[in-house]
Amino acid sequence: GRKVLIVYAHQEPKSLNGSLKSVAVEELSKQGCSVTVSDLYAMQFEPRATKNDIVDCLHNSEEFNYGLEAWEAYKRGGLSNDLIEEQKKVQDGDLLIFQFPLYWFSMPAIMKGWMDRVLVQGFAHEFPNCYDSGLLKNKLALFSFTTGGSKEMYAKGGISGDIRYLLWPMQHGIMHFCGVKVLAPHICFAPEYASEEERKEMLIAWAQRLKTLWNEEPINCSPEWYFK
């Protein structure tokens, strides 16, 4: 069976994000997938990249360079346990689903901190092994998120600009950089302003999509997809 990691960032289990996460666990488990959830708020995941991430001696104790120290620590098995655990989940996963509410045109800080700390050099990328030759190149990712604004606001001519522009740093700058192939995002627009019926329909649409998810082709990971 395939293995799925859901990295989930929402404080409230009863939220639409919480329900979307539960629907994914249920539907993918029904398909025989093994599903693991990293519930970042429940785990009290540390988003800050600090010296605490290196548990043995520093490579250069005179001047701290996080990227270099994390890379060296990864190579010698000197990263903190929470990072090693998350990296193992990523390593095992065929599909990574990121479930979150859009905050200020991006992911919540706790999830960005997961990206900063978990996807270290040597594990996820190592120049020139990036983009199509990134170290996580046999994996798929999908960003599933809710917005505060309506679909019209995030249209090409809308006040917030095309939603694809916002996906560029997340999908291209992080996932594609690490070699991960990216499936089209799943977006629930403005659930706070939707009726109970409309919110139910959002959950049904997600469950339906998950039924045939493994047949989907990844998006064309090129600037044209985002900015055409």
Side-chain angles (χ1 to χ4, degrees), residues 3-10 17-29 33-40 43 86 89-90 93-100 111 114 140 142 144 206 210 213:
K3 292 186 176 176
V4 180
L5 170 62
I6 301 175
V7 182
Y8 163 67
H10 200 286
N17 274 277
S19 298
L20 289 160
K21 180 260 298 173
S22 298
V23 164
V25 171
E26 188 181 340
E27 179 54 44
L28 292 165
S29 298
C33 298
S34 165
V35 185
T36 303
V37 178
S38 284
D39 183 340
L40 300 182
M43 292 157 67
E86 293 306 300
K89 292 176 195 175
V90 171
D94 299 301
L95 168 66
L96 315 174
I97 296 177
F98 297 94
Q99 182 65 60
F100 59 97
M111 183 174 279
W114 185 95
L140 288 170
L142 192 162
S144 171
W206 179 223
L210 289 164
L213 194 70

Side-chain angles (χ1 to χ4, degrees), residues 183-194:
L183 296 174
H186 196 86
I187 309 166
C188 293
F189 289 98
E192 282 183 51
Y193 303 101

Side-chain angles (χ1 to χ4, degrees), residues 74 118-126 129-130 134-136 177-179:
Y74 173 74
V118 175
L119 302 176
V120 301
Q121 187 169 354
F123 169 68
H125 58 90
E126 193 157 9
N129 293 320
C130 51
L135 302 181
L136 303 180
F177 186 82
C178 296

Side-chain angles (χ1 to χ4, degrees), residues 196-207:
E196 198 55 44
E197 194 53 43
E198 286 168 329
R199 286 162 69 93
K200 275 185 193 154
E201 282 167 15
M202 289 176 184
L203 296 175
I204 290 164
W206 179 223

Side-chain angles (χ1 to χ4, degrees), residues 54-90:
I54 290 89
V55 294
D56 54 6
C57 55
L58 293 174
H59 181 70
N60 178 358
S61 55
E62 299 298 309
E63 188 179 336
F64 185 70
N65 175 326
Y66 183 85
L68 176 65
E69 292 294 346
W71 181 25
E72 291 293 336
Y74 173 74
K75 286 191 281 191
R76 64 176 186 265
L79 287 173
S80 58
N81 282 335
D82 60 336
L83 295 193
I84 291 168
E85 281 170 31
E86 293 306 300
Q87 287 174 345
K88 186 172 186 326
K89 292 176 195 175
V90 171

Side-chain angles (χ1 to χ4, degrees), residues 141-145 163-164 167 171 182-187 206 209 216 219 225:
L142 192 162
F143 285 82
S144 171
F145 59 96
I163 193 83
R164 292 185 186 209
L167 290 162
Q171 292 187 159
V182 181
L183 296 174
H186 196 86
I187 309 166
W206 179 223
R209 181 177 175 191
E216 290 186 18
I219 63 166
W225 188 89

